[in-house]
Amino acid sequence: MSVENEHRLRFRNAMASLSAAVNIITTDGPAGRCGITATAVCSVTDTPPTLMVCINRNSAMNPVFQENGRLCVNILNHEQELIARHFAGMTGVSMEERFGWNIWKTGVLGQPMLKETLANLEGSIEQIQEIGTHYVYLVEVKQMAVKEEGHGLIYFKRDFHHVMDKSLADAV
């Protein structure tokens, strides 16, 4: 194994130890409707509210996101692991079928918003940068819905895990 490949593998293994919230990024518009499971999502600033979303440049979804210019970050709860697996391409369910289920509503900006999530953040793509193997999207959040209760879903050590909200767990 080359030194470069070994370094890349060590980095990937280190990043597997970095717990990350599981999200489904969706878009709808002139280029069509699609979605993808992503953990590379983080806040950038609250003034204006801006998120960073990273998607592999090899993803067939990129032209759709870029042409539509808008997207929704759907932050999943602990009961939405199966939908995360569908949108990660782990189950063989088609994109058309994924959006055919009665689990969607349309946001103010016309973006597919998954019901029962911890939060839905609709926004416009303000900048796109190419960094290595990924596109980095900077998204200004224009509309958001936040659920006050619920448990989280994270990806850690290459698997999905539930995160219990301690204040809710104590009440049970």
Side-chain angles (χ1 to χ4, degrees), residues 9 27 43 74 83 103 111 115 125 132 144 165:
L9 181 60
T27 188
S43 63
N74 299 278
I83 193 80
I103 56 173
Q111 301 309 295
K115 296 176 185 176
I125 300 169
M144 61 191 97
D165 179 336

Side-chain angles (χ1 to χ4, degrees), residues 82-96:
L82 183 56
I83 193 80
R85 290 181 181 280
H86 291 318
F87 276 86
M90 301 168 106
T91 63
V93 174
S94 72
M95 191 67 65
E96 184 178 332

Side-chain angles (χ1 to χ4, degrees), residues 10-31:
R10 286 176 51 107
F11 180 77
R12 290 176 64 93
N13 287 338
M15 291 301 96
S17 297
L18 181 63
S19 302
V22 181
N23 310 277
I24 294 178
I25 315 302
T26 56
T27 188
D28 196 0

Side-chain angles (χ1 to χ4, degrees), residues 11 24 38 64 70 116 121 129 144 170:
F11 180 77
I24 294 178
V64 181
R70 293 182 173 175
E116 304 301 322
L121 303 136
Q129 296 182 3
M144 61 191 97
D170 291 343

Side-chain angles (χ1 to χ4, degrees), residues 25-92:
I25 315 302
T26 56
T27 188
D28 196 0
R33 181 172 51 192
C34 72
I36 190 168
T37 299
T39 56
V41 175
C42 71
S43 63
V44 175
T45 180
D46 64 358
T47 310
T50 303
L51 296 171
M52 179 183 73
V53 177
C54 301
I55 300 175
N56 192 298
R57 286 179 33 204
N58 291 329
S59 172
M61 313 293 170
N62 282 304
V64 181
F65 283 109
Q66 291 172 13
E67 187 177 331
N68 288 346
R70 293 182 173 175
L71 57 77
C72 183
V73 174
N74 299 278
I75 303 173
L76 303 188
N77 74 48
H78 73 290
E79 296 178 326
Q80 295 175 312
E81 179 180 335
L82 183 56
I83 193 80
R85 290 181 181 280
H86 291 318
F87 276 86
M90 301 168 106
T91 63

Side-chain angles (χ1 to χ4, degrees), residues 71-72 107-109 113 120-123 140-145:
L71 57 77
C72 183
V108 173
L109 299 180
M113 293 173 57
N120 310 96
L121 303 136
E122 275 188 291
E140 186 174 334
V141 176
K142 307 288 188 181
Q143 178 70 25
M144 61 191 97

